[in-house]
Structures are given as structure tokens and as C-alpha cells.
Amino acid sequence: MLYRILLAVIGTGLAALAADRPNFVFVFIDDMGYGDLSCYGNTDVATPNIDRLAAEGIRFEQFYVASPICSPSRAGITTGQYPARQLIHSYLNSRARNRERGMRDFLDPTVPAIARTFQDAGYATAHFGKWHMGGGRDVDDAPLPQAYGFDESLVSFEGLGDRILPPGGLSEQSKRLGRGTIRDVPKHEMTEIYVDRAIDFIRRNKDSSFYLHVWLNDVHDRFFPKPDLLAKFAKFASNPYRQQYFAVMDEMDRQLGRLFGEIDALGLDEDTILVLASDNGPTAWKRYYDEGYDPPGKTNGLRGRKWSLYEGGIREPLIVRWSGQAPAGATNSKTVVTAVDLFPTFCRLAGIPLPEAEFDGVDMSRAFRGEEPLREQPIFWEYGRDPSYLRPGLESDRSPALAVRDGHWKLLMEPDGRRLELYDFSAGFDETDNVAERHAEVVARLKSALATWWNSIPKVM
């Protein structure tokens, strides 16, 4: 009895402490390019609700994800570590395919997890949307999101537990795995359902502090927009994929507007840090080019797309709004932020101690408060260990497998040292002028650092 009383007292104390800390709502969009939002320069489709978020917060111009593909991009956020450390360096697939690439079947639930850290500090936690860190295909023993610290979850075919499934083969495989309440839904209703769940969660926890993921399946292809929205973008019908993409973007922005509006209507805008980003560059299937179409999704002229370590595959929008704490309408073009920074940054903003672990990310909370600190640590990437990895449709977008960004320099190379490419970002970000032969000392320094990092990460299970 005494033990239960102590637990109740501790739980009440944590809840009271958490009530004085900011909420976090993290919107993570799937396969959206750096130039797809109108606040990042897109003139073909308007995203007024996301634009309003940027007008009320900070828009970052040098934010990088941890990988140019879904599963490792998400694992980097969850752990604050480079995903290759967790043997997740491509998308999670079947058991056999994972084993062929030396990958786990799911993210190790014993590693540091951002939601668990907030949960342990007394926050209510929830994940609604794409998971893709374990569960799907024939992997039926992956932990549920609750094992990583989420009180509630609703995912889709790339995860287990309660989930909504659009039509398709991956959904049929998911149904056979069981382990959760499963509901069939049209794909164009998924974002609305996730937002509905998020709004309900916020309403139930508005008087305490909460940590919430809204990680969308949009705007990943294939596209199934609401039929009435196609007519709105009829002028793009000569490229049906682009027309469909813009219709999906339009509806996604409208649904996110409901989420942002609810936070404001509940008077939580000054108590909530609202973060929006995307997981990797826009779609890059070869089939688009084979059919004679440019693939949908914009990179604002950055080289590369999804599955590429060139800028178009890993540089993404990042918008942060914290009313009354961070400046409104600011643009940060100087600070280099990466997805593995979010774990230590969120913890610092919430006043929560980091768990004992070897984090690759660093605290960038000053940037989230409106300062423009210059990054002092390099960033490393790995994608594409062998020819079996998915690659962009254009040969010119297919990068070497390793990359490092340090200051205004970026070096790419293969693990064996071939294909050395050095780019000087003080002269522009287009990655067309390889200056490796002109800067031998820089190449030697970054090549050594990249090789050391590569040799430090595990290669097989």
C-alpha cells in the first residue's frame, strides 16, 4: 500500500512539474521537397496555413534530416543518434531483405527514445501517423510505439498497434499481422483522421503538458487526392502526377490548419512549441521519367531528390513557432540544424535532463529562441551501401554513399575513398562545381573525419 501511495505522489509531482513546461507538437511530412511550401518559394500551390505558421515563427533554411529515406530519418529523430548506429540505414522491409542489408527488423526499444524521456518527466505522449521503425511486411514481433514512450498511438501499414490502412498490398500484409484495432480507410482521409486524433488528444491534455507527433503519410506517392480537388489544379493536367500532388498538398495544408487553429483556440499558442519539417526529399522514381514526366515535388534547384545525399535529398523545411518566446516572421539562413539535434534541443527547451547516452545531436535551443548560432560540429550521413539500394531516377542525382558537412564545406565519397566530391557552400548550394582538386588540404581533413566516422559505426547484425 505504501509503495502505491509513493507512486501516486511521485506521479502527481511529475504531472504538476510538467504543467509548467512547454508542450511540443511535431508535424513530420512524408517526401516533401525543400521548395514545396509556398513560404519556401512554391508559386504553383498555396499552403496558407503552414505559411501562417512560418509568419508567426522561425523559418530555417539549413535544416538537414538524418537520411534521404524514411526509416532512418525517423530513427534519427527518435534517438538523437545517427541511424546507422542502430543498424537502420535504409527503409525497413521484410526480414529477408533487412538481413541482406545488415539491418535490424525494428528499432531497438532499449535505446534512448525522445518520447520516453518526456513520458518519464510527466508528459502525456502520443504518436499519430507514419511509424516505419518496425512492424509490417512479415515482421510481426516489432514493439508497439508504446515501447518507445508513447501513451497513445495510431499508425498505418508500416507499424503495429492500432492503425488505419489504405487500399494496397502492404495494407493486406499488415492485416495478417494483427496486434491492434485495424480500420480500412481511403488514403485521402488519413491526414484528416490523424489530425482528428491529435485534436482530441490535445483537448484531453490541455491542462497538463504533452508531447505529440503528427507524422503524416502525405505527401508520399502514390497520390489519391479527393476527387473534387483535382479540378482546382486542372491547369497542371498535362502532368497528372503534379496535378495530383498539388491536390494532396492543398488538402494536407487545410487539415493542418485545423490542428494549428485548435491549439490557438484553446489558448495554448504561448505554451506550445510547434515544429514542422519533412523526412526527406521529394519522390524520385525512374518511372516518372520513363513516362515522360518530371516527378512531382520541388527542391528549389538543389541537386538530388529522395535517396540522394545531395542537398535535394536531405535539406528540408523546418518551421518553429513558440508564440511569445521566439520571434515571429524570422528567417534563419545561417544556423545549420540537423534532425539528431532535436532530442537534446527539445529537452533543453523543456528543462528535462538528457538520459545517459552517446548523442550525436547537439543542443540548438538558442536557434529555436531566435538567435543564429553557427554550428561547431560536423554532420555525417550514410546511404546506399550497395547497388541494391533505391536510387533517384536521374544518374546525376545519384550521390556517393557517404557525406560530411563541416562549416561551408561538404565532402561526399564512397566508403573505399572513390568519387571524392567537395563543394564550397560559401559560393552557392547547387553542388555543380566539384572543387576537390583545388582544396587538397580540406579534402584530406574531411576525408579522414568521414572515414573515421564510417569505421566507427556497425556494419552487420
Side-chain angles (χ1 to χ4, degrees):
M1 177 63 72
L2 178 61
Y3 176 71
R4 291 180 181 177
I5 293 172
L6 285 173
L7 283 180
V9 170
I10 292 170
T12 302
L14 285 173
L17 183 62
D20 296 327
R21 295 170 172 172
N23 309 309
F24 290 80
V25 176
F26 183 12
V27 176
F28 208 37
I29 299 169
D30 196 6
D31 283 14
M32 185 180 73
Y34 179 75
D36 276 329
L37 300 173
S38 46
C39 57
Y40 277 81
N42 194 344
T43 59
D44 291 328
V45 62
T47 50
N49 293 293
I50 298 175
D51 291 358
R52 179 173 67 85
L53 196 71
E56 296 170 349
I58 306 171
R59 187 176 65 90
F60 288 82
E61 293 188 340
Q62 294 196 65
F63 170 71
Y64 290 97
V65 289
S67 174
I69 195 168
C70 41
S71 297
S73 181
R74 287 162 168 73
I77 289 169
T78 300
T79 64
Q81 300 173 333
Y82 294 123
R85 293 195 189 281
Q86 305 302 331
L87 289 169
I88 297 179
H89 38 77
S90 185
Y91 74 102
L92 290 171
N93 201 324
S94 66
R95 295 181 188 277
R97 190 71 189 95
N98 293 338
R99 209 66 65 242
E100 289 170 5
R101 295 172 297 165
M103 287 178 49
R104 297 184 185 275
D105 289 328
F106 47 80
L107 180 65
D108 182 352
T110 68
V111 301
I114 188 169
R116 186 188 305 120
T117 300
F118 276 81
Q119 185 184 59
D120 289 347
Y123 275 67
T125 59
H127 177 102
F128 304 129
K130 183 170 180 175
W131 182 249
H132 213 168
M133 290 184 285
R137 276 80 169 182
D138 61 349
V139 179
D140 60 356
D141 59 343
L144 304 187
Q146 282 72 9
Y148 304 88
F150 292 103
D151 300 324
E152 304 177 25
S153 67
L154 180 70
V155 300
S156 190
F157 50 80
E158 302 287 12
L160 297 175
D162 293 349
R163 52 201 187 272
I164 53 176
L165 301 178
L170 292 177
S171 291
E172 293 305 312
Q173 291 179 17
S174 179
K175 289 178 185 178
R176 292 193 287 271
L177 302 180
R179 297 189 62 194
T181 300
I182 298 170
R183 181 157 60 105
D184 294 316
V185 301
K187 190 176 185 224
H188 66 255
E189 292 183 3
M190 294 178 73
T191 293
E192 182 175 2
I193 292 169
Y194 292 142
V195 169
D196 284 345
R197 283 295 302 271
I199 289 174
D200 174 67
F201 173 81
I202 291 170
R203 287 173 177 170
R204 286 185 283 111
N205 292 283
K206 62 183 175 62
D207 295 324
S208 59
S209 286
F210 53 83
Y211 179 88
L212 169 64
H213 284 179
V214 184
W215 288 14
L216 307 181
N217 291 92
D218 288 334
V219 287
H220 195 296
D221 62 359
R222 301 180 180 254
F223 311 114
F224 296 95
K226 291 185 175 181
D228 58 317
L229 286 178
L230 279 177
K232 184 175 179 178
F233 298 96
K235 68 178 181 178
F236 299 102
S238 59
N239 183 336
Y241 299 114
R242 182 170 295 173
Q243 181 186 17
Q244 294 165 12
Y245 186 75
F246 289 156
V248 170
M249 286 276 295
D250 185 274
E251 174 65 6
M252 178 188 72
D253 180 77
R254 189 178 75 82
Q255 293 299 335
L256 289 176
R258 292 198 302 119
L259 175 64
F260 306 154
E262 184 67 19
I263 292 170
D264 295 349
L266 291 172
L268 297 175
D269 53 309
E270 293 188 355
D271 302 318
T272 303
I273 300 174
L274 220 167
V275 178
L276 182 143
S278 179
D279 69 339
N280 49 247
T283 189
W285 293 109
K286 186 174 180 293
R287 67 171 182 261
Y288 290 113
Y289 302 100
D290 291 343
E291 293 178 25
Y293 299 112
D294 290 331
K298 294 176 177 288
T299 67
N300 273 4
L302 298 175
R303 181 180 180 181
R305 300 177 71 86
K306 186 176 181 178
W307 313 317
S308 173
L309 293 180
Y310 295 126
E311 293 291 284
I314 54 177
R315 187 187 290 206
E316 289 298 316
L318 173 67
I319 298 170
V320 177
R321 190 195 78 170
W322 190 7
S323 299
Q325 298 289 332
T331 296
N332 187 328
S333 60
K334 297 179 181 179
T335 304
V336 177
V337 181
T338 182
V340 296
D341 297 335
L342 297 180
F343 196 150
T345 298
F346 287 3
C347 285
R348 174 59 66 87
L349 292 169
I352 297 173
L354 279 172
E356 292 293 329
E358 183 181 353
F359 287 96
D360 293 308
V362 296
D363 170 23
M364 300 299 288
S365 58
R366 288 173 53 209
F368 279 42
R369 290 185 179 276
E371 300 179 45
E372 294 187 336
L374 296 180
R375 187 180 197 88
E376 298 178 357
Q377 301 82 3
I379 307 170
F380 298 97
W381 293 270
E382 183 265 336
Y383 176 76
R385 295 188 178 188
D386 62 64
S388 72
Y389 282 66
L390 293 171
R391 307 280 183 160
L394 292 181
E395 184 69 31
S396 60
D397 287 340
R398 298 176 185 178
S399 69
L402 303 177
V404 56
R405 167 86 192 263
D406 188 22
H408 61 86
W409 298 106
K410 181 179 176 184
L411 180 81
L412 300 98
M413 72 177 189
E414 298 293 359
D416 61 6
R418 293 180 300 109
R419 288 189 67 189
L420 282 169
E421 300 179 18
L422 179 69
Y423 299 103
D424 181 1
F425 286 168
S426 68
F429 295 103
D430 56 6
E431 292 180 297
T432 57
D433 184 16
N434 179 3
V435 299
E437 294 185 357
R438 284 170 261 167
H439 297 277
E441 291 184 3
V442 176
V443 169
R445 175 173 63 84
L446 294 182
K447 180 180 179 182
S448 175
L450 188 51
T452 299
W453 175 78
W454 168 246
N455 290 329
S456 74
I457 60 176
K459 306 298 189 297
V460 295
M461 286 287 295

